[in-house]
Amino acid sequence: MKLDEKGLLIVISGPSGVGKGTVRSALFDMTGHDLVYSISMTTRKPRANEVDGEDYFFVSKEEFEKRISEGKMLEYAEFINNYYGTPLDEVERNLNLGKEVVLEIEVNGATQVREKMKDAIFIFIAPPSFKSLKDRLMSRGTEPVELIEERCNKAERELHLAYMYDYIVVNDSVENAADKIMAIIRAEHAKTERTIQKYKQILEEENEY
Ligand code: 5GP
């Protein structure tokens, strides 16, 4: 029996290179949950393997700023000279359909979501060590050296912000991390504050017999 039928808004953050994307894919491969990934919008140029409308919606700075002024972004942030943000309409539509919506965003954006969506769950993915993170960023080979340096510095600063999140999940292995996130989602659905209304309703129905 399901006591909580509303979808959850799940915010996942973590420094560049921590493997958020890989953990997210593993999470989405697990069956039994109706997860929807919120595709972000960015002014960053696509990487060689990235597809518009799948990895991101790639737009111009003007288009992005227009959307901000029209109130169409749930949150947005500037990250290494580019805008990144979450289009609001799809998030609302999917939550209203009872689906779990997953955002993969950096910490400033997560703070904005915390202020606007009181029910959201915040998960920080941490590396097993700072060295492993640096090694991953260096070996990724998708960016010029100066940008890698900048990402490393930013990553180090972000690691200190994990305390703002509800959960910290160490990405020691992709399967472990995805398993833990799924366990968090299941436990959150069972929380009294999410289930009590339906539970009371069931008790009242039983009293009628
Ligand atoms: P990347 O350039 O590596 O794809 O992303 C850079 C950073 O931007 C990552 O930490 C990523 O999680 C974050 N990011 C991606 N989409 C969004 C978004 O919609 N909003 C915010 N605030 N950050 C995002």
Side-chain angles (χ1 to χ4, degrees):
M1 187 204 334
K2 253 178 132 180
L3 289 178
D4 178 25
E5 293 182 339
K6 273 172 69 183
L8 300 174
L9 181 59
I10 300 142
V11 179
I12 298 180
S13 300
S16 271
V18 79
K20 287 175 298 222
T22 324
V23 172
R24 193 227 317 152
S25 300
L27 182 70
F28 275 67
D29 285 345
M30 294 179 170
T31 49
H33 262 265
D34 217 356
L35 298 175
V36 175
Y37 176 59
S38 158
I39 301 169
S40 294
M41 198 164 273
T42 184
T43 58
R44 162 167 84 58
K45 296 277 164 284
R47 295 181 185 133
N49 56 343
E50 288 180 328
V51 178
D52 188 29
E54 276 180 29
D55 298 284
Y56 282 104
F57 295 108
F58 295 98
V59 297
S60 65
K61 192 166 176 249
E62 292 69 36
E63 165 81 24
F64 201 105
E65 286 174 345
K66 184 165 169 274
R67 286 188 168 254
I68 298 171
S69 65
E70 290 171 348
K72 289 184 175 166
M73 305 307 281
L74 168 60
E75 60 74 36
Y76 69 93
E78 262 191 277
F79 185 94
I80 314 191
N81 303 324
N82 278 303
Y83 282 125
Y84 292 80
T86 305
L88 178 61
D89 49 356
E90 275 297 284
V91 170
E92 281 184 331
R93 196 176 69 81
N94 283 308
L95 286 177
N96 289 336
L97 289 173
K99 299 191 175 168
E100 325 274 20
V101 179
V102 177
L103 308 188
E104 193 190 303
I105 62 178
E106 53 70 69
V107 286
N108 292 320
T111 309
Q112 294 164 43
V113 179
R114 172 82 85 185
E115 279 158 19
K116 290 187 184 164
M117 313 288 265
K118 298 294 173 210
D119 241 16
I121 300 156
F122 295 81
I123 302 174
F124 189 88
I125 304 192
S129 68
F130 186 55
K131 187 180 176 306
S132 67
L133 187 69
K134 230 174 155 176
D135 290 349
R136 247 189 85 126
L137 277 173
M138 296 290 186
S139 64
R140 200 151 74 169
T142 48
E143 256 121 345
V145 180
E146 328 70 84
L147 258 186
I148 294 176
E149 255 324 282
E150 216 170 332
R151 277 182 183 263
C152 278
N153 293 339
K154 179 123 180 127
E156 194 166 6
R157 288 198 297 278
E158 284 194 345
L159 286 178
H160 294 284
L161 297 172
Y163 72 91
M164 292 163 53
Y165 287 72
D166 301 318
Y167 299 92
I168 298 178
V169 169
V170 176
N171 185 14
D172 45 4
S173 91
V174 172
E175 292 70 28
N176 261 344
D179 262 357
K180 275 186 206 155
I181 295 177
M182 190 50 90
I184 292 168
I185 294 173
R186 294 206 171 105
E188 283 284 341
H189 270 295
K191 269 195 162 168
T192 306
E193 65 210 45
R194 293 189 210 282
T195 54
I196 192 73
Q197 288 308 335
K198 183 83 190 273
Y199 183 67
K200 277 185 186 162
Q201 206 179 315
I202 290 167
L203 286 186
E204 277 161 21
E205 278 164 16
E206 286 196 349
N207 278 343
E208 285 167 15
Y209 291 104

